[in-house]
């Protein structure tokens, strides 16, 4: 039996123990009760490492642990968080090494693997559906737009910043780049575009027939279709999943209608699209599974 600890860092931290890739026992959460959006953004990096270690120790409960997986938002390579726009204190941290050192002092000795949060969701979906040998891709729709894939492949994979329009007026992306997917779909970007309406109101008014809002909702879906079509043309058809805080905005038939105008080559038509509930468990399982798989490589 393999034992892993999976941890997810979003606006909060959730940790749990996995036995043979299944959740065993209760998960723990910080903060324990529901939280303000930015409770973790004010915590310095070193304190965040201590917090993570405390959560991991509490779920490890003395038994042996083979690997520890932590999913964080941002660009992660070789245990280093190279970029993390929503948890800026993580940028540049050697999170795997730092966390392993603190854990070792607390009596937990196991390799620590850091994964991008969207990659962890893709791994979690693949594991829970028994398709670890298949290509699984995930879009996370929130303040930013994340792209994750399983199996893990070395690279940057900032799919949310793929260029989907040549219109020079499309400049709302959080990264500052022109024409990016996140510049149309991201929550912050939508607020900048509609200074008089919240994104929820834009989607609600589109349903009621408001012309300007309807046009935007079409653009939002066309943008996601364009990003998805690009990845189909690069890595092939297969399974695409959609999740995240704002996945409720997504109208799958509308997305499919736009995607069908963009993907025409017959070997590429066997893709599937599915909405996933926005939960922490999938990413937690994926973080643990990624850590176990990383042991073998
Ligand atoms: Zn961007």
């Amino acid at each position: 039996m393999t034992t892993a600890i999976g941890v997810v860092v979003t606006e909060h931290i959730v940790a749990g123990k996995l036995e043979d890739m299944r959740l065993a026992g209760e998960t723990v959460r910080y903060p324990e009760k529901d939280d303000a959006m930015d409770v973790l953004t004010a915590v310095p990096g070193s304190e965040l490492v201590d917090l993570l270690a405390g959560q991991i120790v509490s779920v490890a409960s003395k038994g042996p642990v083979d690997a520890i997986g932590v999913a964080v938002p941002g660009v992660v390579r070789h245990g280093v968080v190279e970029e993390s726009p929503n948890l800026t204190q993580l940028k540049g941290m050697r999170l795997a090494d730092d966390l392993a050192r603190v854990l070792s002092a607390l009596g937990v000795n196991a390799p620590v693997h850091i994964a991008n949060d969207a990659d962890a969701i893709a791994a979690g979906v693949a594991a829970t559906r028994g398709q670890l040998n298949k290509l699984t891709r995930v879009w996370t729709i929130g303040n930013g737009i994340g792209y994750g894939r399983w199996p893990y492949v070395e690279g940057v994979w900032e799919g949310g910043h793929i260029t989907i329009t040549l219109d020079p007026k499309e400049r709302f992306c959080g990264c500052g780049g022109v024409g990016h997917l996140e510049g149309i779909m991201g929550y912050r970007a939508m607020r900048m575009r509609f200074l008089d309406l919240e994104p929820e109101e834009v989607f609600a008014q589109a349903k009621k027939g408001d012309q300007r809002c309807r046009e935007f909702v079409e653009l939002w879906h066309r943008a996601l279709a364009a990003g998805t079509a690009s990845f189909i043309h690069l890595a092939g058809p297969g399974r695409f999943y959609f999740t995240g805080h704002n996945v409720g905005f997504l109208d799958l038939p509308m997305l499919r209608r736009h995607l069908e105008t963009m993907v025409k080559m017959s070997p590429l038509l066997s893709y599937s699209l599915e909405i996933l509930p926005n939960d922490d468990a999938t990413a937690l399982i994926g973080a643990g599974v990624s850590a176990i798989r990383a042991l073998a490589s």
Side-chain angles (χ1 to χ4, degrees):
M1 187 180 74
T2 59
T3 303
I5 308 293
V7 187
V8 186
V9 183
T10 53
E11 294 85 40
H12 49 261
I13 301 168
V14 182
K17 188 180 201 171
L18 304 176
E19 286 172 354
D20 288 337
M21 300 194 195
R22 288 169 195 275
L23 204 50
E26 297 291 308
T27 57
V28 295
R29 189 181 195 279
Y30 176 90
E32 283 178 38
K33 292 267 162 25
D34 237 293
D35 37 69
M37 278 294 270
D38 51 1
V39 66
L40 290 182
T41 57
V43 179
S46 61
E47 283 179 36
L48 199 59
V49 171
D50 291 338
L51 262 174
L52 287 168
Q55 301 285 87
I56 291 163
V57 168
S58 74
V59 291
S61 63
K62 294 197 179 70
V65 174
D66 298 305
I68 294 160
V70 183
V72 300
V75 180
V76 179
R77 294 174 97 174
H78 307 298
V80 180
V81 183
E82 296 189 340
E83 185 63 75
S84 189
N86 298 317
L87 287 172
T88 51
Q89 69 272 48
L90 290 179
K91 181 170 177 169
M93 281 184 73
R94 307 185 72 83
L95 190 56
D97 291 348
D98 292 352
L99 187 54
R101 196 177 321 111
V102 173
L103 282 169
S104 175
L106 296 169
V108 176
N109 290 292
V112 175
H113 179 79
I114 312 294
N116 164 270
D117 56 348
D119 283 338
I121 294 170
V125 172
T128 53
R129 300 192 178 200
Q131 56 190 41
L132 280 167
N133 58 339
K134 294 214 173 83
L135 177 61
T136 300
R137 287 163 287 186
V138 172
W139 289 107
T140 59
I141 302 167
N143 202 25
I145 304 299
Y147 175 82
R149 55 165 284 155
W150 175 267
Y152 177 76
V153 175
E154 177 82 36
V156 178
W157 300 107
E158 279 293 325
H161 300 272
I162 194 168
T163 304
I164 46 81
T165 169
L166 300 179
D167 184 346
K169 291 195 296 297
E170 288 297 345
R171 50 175 68 250
F172 295 119
C173 191
C175 82
V178 175
H180 290 188
L181 179 60
E182 186 176 306
I184 289 172
M185 291 187 71
Y187 194 80
R188 176 182 169 276
M190 286 193 279
R191 294 188 75 176
M192 288 170 71
R193 180 184 306 265
F194 287 89
L195 295 170
D196 56 332
L197 293 172
E198 290 294 338
E200 289 80 2
E201 295 173 313
V202 172
F203 281 83
Q205 295 204 11
K207 281 206 175 96
K208 289 183 190 150
D210 177 272
Q211 185 64 18
R212 178 179 64 136
C213 293
R214 269 177 53 185
E215 281 172 12
F216 175 73
V217 169
E218 288 284 343
L219 177 69
W220 192 92
H221 285 83
R222 273 176 69 206
L224 182 56
T228 305
S230 293
F231 284 114
I232 289 173
H233 285 107
L234 292 172
R239 295 165 164 80
F240 286 89
Y241 297 90
F242 304 87
T243 189
H245 192 255
N246 293 325
V247 74
F249 293 149
L250 179 59
D251 176 343
L252 222 45
M254 189 185 289
L255 175 68
R256 188 181 301 278
R257 180 159 52 75
H258 287 300
L259 196 51
E260 283 169 357
T261 69
M262 298 173 187
V263 180
K264 291 294 187 187
M265 295 178 194
S266 59
L268 304 185
L269 297 178
S270 60
Y271 52 81
S272 68
L273 312 172
E274 185 179 335
I275 292 174
L276 297 172
N278 183 38
D279 63 17
D280 292 316
T282 306
L284 191 156
I285 292 167
V289 167
S290 303
I292 290 289
R293 286 293 174 112
L295 290 177
S297 63

